[in-house]
Amino acid sequence: MNKLERIEQSLNPRSIAIIGASSSPERVGYNILESIVKGGFKGEIFPVNPQYKEILGLKVYASIREIKKPVDLAVIVLNQFASVEMLKECGEVGVKGAVVIAGGYKEMGPDGKALQDQLAAAAKAHGMVLIGPNTLGLINTRANLNATFYPDEFKKSAISFISQSGAYGCSFIYKLWDHGIGINKWIGVGNQAVLGVPDILEYYEHDETTKLIGIFFEGTDDIQGFCDAAKRIVPKKPIIVVKAGKSELAKYSALTHTGTDAGSDEGWQEIFKQTGVLGASSANDMAIACKTLSIAPLPRGENLFILTHTAGPSIMATEVAMAMGCSMPPLAEKTKDRIAQIIGNVPVILKNPVDVAAGGFAHDKFGHLADVILQDEATGLLLACYQYHTIWGCPSQAIIEAKQKNGKPIIMCLISTYEAFLKEKDLLQENGVPLFQTPEEAATAAVYLINYYRFKSRSAEMI
Amino acid sequence: MNKLERIEQSLNPRSIAIIGASSSPERVGYNILESIVKGGFKGEIFPVNPQYKEILGLKVYASIREIKKPVDLAVIVLNQFASVEMLKECGEVGVKGAVVIAGGYKEMGPDGKALQDQLAAAAKAHGMVLIGPNTLGLINTRANLNATFYPDEFKKSAISFISQSGAYGCSFIYKLWDHGIGINKWIGVGNQAVLGVPDILEYYEHDETTKLIGIFFEGTDDIQGFCDAAKRIVPKKPIIVVKAGKSELAKYSALTHTGTDAGSDEGWQEIFKQTGVLGASSANDMAIACKTLSIAPLPRGENLFILTHTAGPSIMATEVAMAMGCSMPPLAEKTKDRIAQIIGNVPVILKNPVDVAAGGFAHDKFGHLADVILQDEATGLLLACYQYHTIWGCPSQAIIEAKQKNGKPIIMCLISTYEAFLKEKDLLQENGVPLFQTPEEAATAAVYLINYYRFKSRSAEMI
């Protein structure tokens, strides 16, 4: 098996050993076992701990040697010293994939670095792929596998993550959940002793169920590997990155967190520009980007038009779009005429953003207006903004029809509470229209689509 | 009655006339009436429209003259031309407060400006206060009064708003609702024909139930009035502003929305600096600022400390805090020693942000650590970050105790889904601890507290 096949086997194991399994709910060795069991994993589960006979109804083995069946993935939940010895033992019995949860390695300074080197050497000596150390674990929703110590539920999607932080990586999942979107795979690379961000990127490149990749990282020793992988992947699958280490204090925190040199922010910005990797500056921005790029079609050009019946939010969406370098050309005369015909004598001045005031409350009119703007060849994509009303609701169906008819993206902003958002999200999002509650979020979504479109067009022009 | 008394009477009317009331649910004249009725308004309600006898069980009057009882507030839901005539008629029968909903005035150019001048002249001739035109209406939760065409529910709080946009002003209310916080008053000033932002500011200055003011505006003709009011108010009540008009396109949109000259962004930034008004750049930032400043105590100095059991989010919170000019000093040796005693031999390097890894999962330990950091005289406020776990939950009670004991603010970041946030928000927020789901939001909240503290300290130093 080559490296990618070993990663594939570790993410789709036929059997898992949890070494250091515990029966105490306040211990990580219990929590991971519980996550795997509750997550609905269909393969064999082997808890390992000489102190127990049974946990959660499962037979517990005294050692990895006692299992005497093939183990595809070993999750090691022991302290930093015992984990090194256990990894060797796993290698000796033929385990090819392991996760080491403990911290206390490179992030602690020279002694920890030496310990991590032993860990890496043991993995390499036995041809094992190792995830971590200093990690929350891994998730593969396609295999109903949650090997982290957070027993959460997951919806499925085509979005896969790489994270150097457990909790911050989880915040991507949680915010996406709030946005109504699931995940595909999630790998906490931690200190990257053996498998680093570039390795997982290469795996996701070839993983057919992954259509989009989100990354939180503090840094990598293999910048060239990252750039090479990103250059190959971005034209096929968008990569969105939150990169920590802008401020000196954050850089020092990264060093003491995962032993990572964060590098210069300017250098990373240049790498993003050259590779087409899209930057995100918050967990919510990451969720907005992932949701939008995974469900909306690509724009048919970079010109953004905004349609609304209520000017204020369209002005704030314009502010965000302009600040982020969008192109928002004026309305063509013929399109202005068509809009005027639809709205009648409502007193408004037509421009882009297109505010039709009371001329746009009715669903059929709002949908008709969206259709007319999308029909204009100048339009690359549309941001449609509507205020939710208990009587008028949201013109979801009309918006979906306009989008399907024209094959161009619509980003929907529904000024509303989260409760109202929940009522509309499934219909819209299942039909490829990302829904947001605020104009700033909707404009941010539009900017991600435009920036990915720009990069794709630019790379298509190159020979 | 002076101007402030007339505004007070309009917001706490004994009776309201809705002129242009309708029985068709798709008409604004129905929606406003419905909002007032469903909102639980206790005073008399007089729908006016010669075409109807009864709407929503209420007797309908053919004209304002036919009512023959005092009307404290007239809400005029007629077109832009008829509204001018009706305002005159209202003045003639002694109404002292009115709202004009229609657009079609100054924002339409010279003809509209002339019409608006007539409207303002009519109000002034009869000594009336006028809200609008081109507005969604007004809300006063203290009077159970919702005179807008959005029949939403409202929780009560001490936060009052002024907005030049209906929908965008509503997005403040909706996001605050999502954050678990209500509102006090909300006034849509629209084109500011008579009452402008400075007038409502002056009213809120003297309104005892208003402790904090949020504003969305595009601009004002009375910049001096705004500055004077802000200078007086900010040392007593924080003012948070989203100001539109940074980009040229947004400026033009403001002009065609409410006929407002947005002015230069640089000029407004200088005004904010001098008056201590706090800027916000999105609806969610406004909600974060309002929630935090309305429920947390003021810091005891400007130094921010961060406590976490999970480094990644603390690094991202640090990035935000550093980018916004916060002070995050190192841990004092004595505090470091006390922390080390609590967490034992967990392998971490202690610094600020304070990451105690597995040493901080247990609620009592996490609360004890928060207490120890707050006890340090260098600490102005604490941002505490915890990842929600179905077994471990959230250490809300321990955090509240540490906050109460030390009288310093704690901002809580609970890495979680919105569902988990909902479980914890009431306990924490009712005890003065604002809760957020992401580190970026929590850090933004901390920055608002610090910036308001800085301004208050600076003004206290001045003679």
Side-chain angles (χ1 to χ4, degrees):
Chain A
M1 282 198 296
N2 63 24
K3 180 182 68 181
L4 295 189
E5 287 164 343
R6 281 173 195 158
I7 299 174
E8 171 74 6
Q9 181 177 280
S10 301
L11 286 166
N12 296 278
R14 289 159 300 180
S15 59
I16 304 178
I18 298 89
I19 304 168
S22 166
S23 66
S24 312
E26 73 279 7
R27 296 193 75 95
V28 171
Y30 172 85
N31 306 126
I32 292 190
L33 182 62
E34 188 199 18
S35 296
I36 294 171
V37 173
K38 284 202 178 167
F41 177 66
K42 302 284 183 258
E44 284 192 281
I45 304 171
F46 308 119
V48 177
N49 189 333
Q51 297 173 45
Y52 300 100
K53 293 286 173 210
E54 192 183 289
I55 306 172
L56 289 173
L58 293 166
K59 170 182 160 72
V60 179
Y61 296 80
S63 72
I64 184 88
R65 292 182 195 282
E66 207 196 58
I67 297 174
K68 297 195 171 72
K69 288 188 195 173
V71 171
D72 283 347
L73 178 67
V75 181
I76 301 173
V77 201
L78 304 173
N79 74 29
Q80 68 266 44
F81 309 105
S83 289
V84 176
E85 298 313 310
M86 186 49 68
L87 192 73
K88 288 179 192 163
E89 212 176 318
C90 286
E92 284 159 15
V93 301
V95 178
K96 293 298 175 201
V99 177
V100 171
I101 301 292
Y105 294 96
K106 191 178 171 192
E107 77 277 16
M108 295 301 293
D111 289 354
K113 167 79 168 63
L115 196 63
Q116 181 167 315
D117 288 345
Q118 289 179 38
L119 198 68
K124 281 172 191 163
H126 295 284
M128 299 169 81
V129 289
L130 170 67
I131 288 164
N134 195 7
T135 175
L136 196 70
L138 58 84
I139 298 162
N140 179 9
T141 63
R142 306 268 157 198
N144 298 313
L145 172 61
N146 174 8
T148 74
F149 46 102
Y150 282 84
D152 298 304
E153 285 174 78
F154 302 101
K155 294 175 196 165
K156 290 182 174 62
S157 81
I159 305 162
S160 292
F161 288 105
I162 306 172
S163 182
Q164 242 181 313
S165 160
Y168 195 67
C170 285
S171 74
F172 296 160
I173 304 177
Y174 298 153
K175 286 309 291 181
L176 265 181
W177 177 281
D178 293 346
H179 278 284
I181 305 291
I183 66 158
N184 183 352
K185 299 178 175 69
W186 186 101
I187 297 176
V189 290
N191 289 9
Q192 310 182 73
V194 172
L195 290 181
V197 173
D199 300 298
I200 309 297
L201 268 181
E202 191 186 351
Y203 170 75
Y204 284 159
E205 177 184 4
H206 298 97
D207 176 31
E208 285 184 7
T209 65
T210 293
K211 303 290 180 202
L212 190 148
I213 301 161
I215 309 176
F216 168 73
F217 76 148
E218 296 172 349
T220 171
D221 291 336
D222 183 10
I223 293 184
Q224 193 56 50
F226 175 83
C227 291
D228 291 346
K231 267 186 200 155
R232 286 195 316 271
I233 297 170
V234 173
K236 298 177 284 182
K237 308 179 181 187
I239 299 178
I240 301 117
V241 171
V242 173
K243 170 73 181 61
K246 283 189 206 299
S247 63
E248 287 307 314
L249 200 52
K251 268 186 196 168
Y252 178 61
S253 297
L255 193 65
T256 63
H257 174 215
T258 52
T260 304
D261 177 1
S264 89
D265 185 49
E266 296 70 27
W268 278 101
Q269 293 310 319
E270 187 55 33
I271 289 172
F272 287 4
K273 216 166 115 186
Q274 285 180 14
T275 57
V277 161
L278 301 166
S281 58
S282 68
N284 195 35
D285 271 7
M286 173 62 86
I288 291 169
C290 288
K291 167 160 109 168
T292 305
L293 287 160
S294 69
I295 68 179
L298 268 190
R300 294 281 190 85
E302 59 179 74
N303 290 335
L304 172 68
F305 282 80
I306 299 179
L307 167 66
T308 186
H309 66 85
T310 175
S314 76
I315 292 174
M316 292 309 294
T318 299
E319 294 281 34
V320 172
M322 289 291 105
M324 295 172 97
C326 275
S327 156
M328 287 184 59
L331 275 179
E333 285 306 320
K334 62 166 195 232
T335 305
K336 212 183 268 187
D337 291 346
R338 295 185 69 189
I339 293 171
Q341 276 178 10
I342 298 169
I343 65 172
N345 65 348
V346 175
V348 285
I349 289 173
L350 292 174
K351 57 185 192 312
N352 182 18
V354 187
D355 170 25
V356 297
F361 287 145
H363 291 192
D364 54 345
K365 278 196 185 180
F366 197 77
H368 194 178
L369 290 162
D371 178 37
V372 160
I373 296 169
L374 286 179
Q375 278 181 38
D376 192 319
E377 60 274 16
T379 305
L381 75 168
L382 178 70
L383 190 164
C385 181
Y386 195 91
Q387 183 172 3
Y388 181 81
H389 191 288
T390 47
I391 290 173
W392 309 321
C394 171
S396 301
Q397 196 57 54
I399 281 295
I400 290 165
E401 281 162 23
K403 178 228 159 204
Q404 313 291 41
K405 183 176 160 195
N406 294 280
K408 295 177 181 180
I410 301 183
I411 310 284
M412 185 80 197
C413 175
L414 183 66
I415 303 291
S416 66
T417 60
Y418 188 64
E419 285 165 71
F421 165 86
L422 287 181
K423 288 183 201 164
E424 303 294 329
K425 75 170 169 52
D426 287 344
L427 178 60
L428 282 164
Q429 296 189 162
E430 284 165 12
N431 284 284
V433 178
L435 179 65
F436 299 95
Q437 288 176 256
T438 67
E440 294 88 4
E441 290 186 320
T444 301
V447 169
Y448 275 110
L449 269 187
I450 292 166
N451 283 344
Y452 188 59
Y453 165 83
R454 281 176 174 164
F455 184 81
K456 290 254 296 192
S457 321
R458 213 173 70 202
S459 17
E461 281 166 10
M462 294 176 196
I463 302 175
Chain B
M1 282 198 295
N2 64 23
K3 180 182 68 181
L4 296 189
E5 288 164 342
R6 280 175 197 158
I7 299 175
E8 172 73 7
Q9 181 177 281
S10 301
L11 286 166
N12 296 278
R14 291 159 298 181
S15 59
I16 304 178
I18 298 92
I19 304 169
S22 166
S23 67
S24 311
E26 73 279 7
R27 297 193 75 95
V28 170
Y30 172 86
N31 307 127
I32 292 189
L33 182 62
E34 188 198 18
S35 295
I36 294 170
V37 172
K38 285 201 176 167
F41 177 66
K42 301 285 184 257
E44 285 192 281
I45 304 171
F46 308 120
V48 176
N49 188 332
Q51 295 174 46
Y52 301 99
K53 294 287 171 209
E54 195 183 286
I55 306 174
L56 289 171
L58 294 165
K59 171 183 158 76
V60 180
Y61 296 80
S63 73
I64 185 89
R65 292 182 194 281
E66 207 194 56
I67 298 173
K68 297 196 170 72
K69 288 187 193 174
V71 171
D72 283 348
L73 178 66
V75 181
I76 301 173
V77 201
L78 304 172
N79 74 30
Q80 68 267 44
F81 308 106
S83 290
V84 177
E85 298 313 310
M86 185 51 68
L87 191 74
K88 288 178 191 163
E89 213 175 316
C90 286
E92 285 159 14
V93 300
V95 178
K96 292 298 175 202
V99 178
V100 171
I101 303 290
Y105 294 95
K106 192 177 170 194
E107 78 276 14
M108 295 300 294
D111 290 353
K113 167 80 168 62
L115 197 63
Q116 182 167 316
D117 288 345
Q118 290 178 39
L119 198 68
K124 281 171 189 161
H126 295 284
M128 299 169 82
V129 289
L130 170 67
I131 288 164
N134 194 6
T135 175
L136 197 70
L138 58 85
I139 298 162
N140 179 10
T141 62
R142 307 269 157 197
N144 298 312
L145 173 59
N146 174 8
T148 75
F149 47 102
Y150 282 84
D152 298 305
E153 285 174 78
F154 302 100
K155 293 175 195 164
K156 290 181 173 63
S157 80
I159 306 163
S160 292
F161 287 105
I162 307 172
S163 182
Q164 242 180 314
S165 160
Y168 195 68
C170 285
S171 74
F172 297 161
I173 305 176
Y174 298 152
K175 285 311 289 180
L176 266 180
W177 177 281
D178 293 346
H179 278 283
I181 305 290
I183 66 157
N184 183 351
K185 298 178 175 69
W186 186 100
I187 297 177
V189 291
N191 289 10
Q192 309 182 74
V194 172
L195 291 180
V197 173
D199 302 296
I200 309 297
L201 268 181
E202 191 187 351
Y203 171 74
Y204 285 158
E205 178 184 4
H206 298 97
D207 176 31
E208 285 184 8
T209 64
T210 293
K211 303 290 180 203
L212 190 147
I213 301 161
I215 308 176
F216 169 72
F217 76 148
E218 296 172 350
T220 169
D221 291 336
D222 184 10
I223 292 184
Q224 193 56 51
F226 175 85
C227 292
D228 291 346
K231 268 186 200 156
R232 286 193 318 270
I233 297 170
V234 173
K236 298 178 283 182
K237 308 178 180 187
I239 299 178
I240 301 116
V241 171
V242 173
K243 171 71 181 61
K246 283 189 206 299
S247 64
E248 287 308 313
L249 199 53
K251 269 187 194 166
Y252 178 60
S253 297
L255 193 65
T256 62
H257 174 214
T258 53
T260 305
D261 177 1
S264 89
D265 184 49
E266 296 72 27
W268 278 102
Q269 292 310 320
E270 188 55 34
I271 289 171
F272 287 5
K273 216 166 117 186
Q274 285 180 14
T275 56
V277 161
L278 303 167
S281 60
S282 68
N284 196 34
D285 271 8
M286 172 63 85
I288 291 169
C290 288
K291 168 160 108 169
T292 305
L293 287 160
S294 68
I295 67 180
L298 268 189
R300 294 281 191 85
E302 58 181 74
N303 290 335
L304 173 68
F305 282 80
I306 300 180
L307 167 65
T308 186
H309 66 85
T310 173
S314 77
I315 293 174
M316 292 309 294
T318 300
E319 295 281 34
V320 171
M322 289 290 105
M324 295 172 98
C326 276
S327 157
M328 286 182 61
L331 275 179
E333 286 305 321
K334 62 165 195 236
T335 305
K336 213 183 268 187
D337 291 345
R338 296 186 68 190
I339 292 171
Q341 276 177 12
I342 299 169
I343 64 172
N345 64 348
V346 175
V348 285
I349 290 174
L350 292 174
K351 56 185 195 309
N352 183 19
V354 188
D355 171 23
V356 297
F361 287 145
H363 290 193
D364 55 344
K365 278 196 185 179
F366 198 78
H368 194 178
L369 290 162
D371 179 36
V372 160
I373 297 170
L374 287 179
Q375 277 181 39
D376 191 319
E377 58 275 17
T379 305
L381 75 167
L382 178 69
L383 190 164
C385 181
Y386 195 91
Q387 183 173 2
Y388 181 81
H389 190 288
T390 47
I391 290 174
W392 309 320
C394 170
S396 301
Q397 196 57 54
I399 281 295
I400 291 165
E401 281 161 23
K403 179 229 158 202
Q404 313 291 41
K405 182 176 159 196
N406 293 281
K408 295 178 181 179
I410 302 182
I411 310 284
M412 185 80 196
C413 175
L414 183 66
I415 303 291
S416 65
T417 61
Y418 187 65
E419 284 164 71
F421 164 87
L422 287 181
K423 286 183 202 163
E424 303 295 329
K425 75 170 170 51
D426 287 345
L427 178 60
L428 283 164
Q429 297 188 164
E430 284 165 12
N431 284 285
V433 179
L435 179 65
F436 299 95
Q437 287 176 258
T438 66
E440 295 89 4
E441 290 187 320
T444 301
V447 170
Y448 275 111
L449 269 186
I450 292 166
N451 283 344
Y452 187 59
Y453 165 83
R454 282 175 174 164
F455 185 81
K456 290 253 296 191
S457 322
R458 213 173 70 200
S459 18
E461 282 166 10
M462 295 176 196
I463 302 175

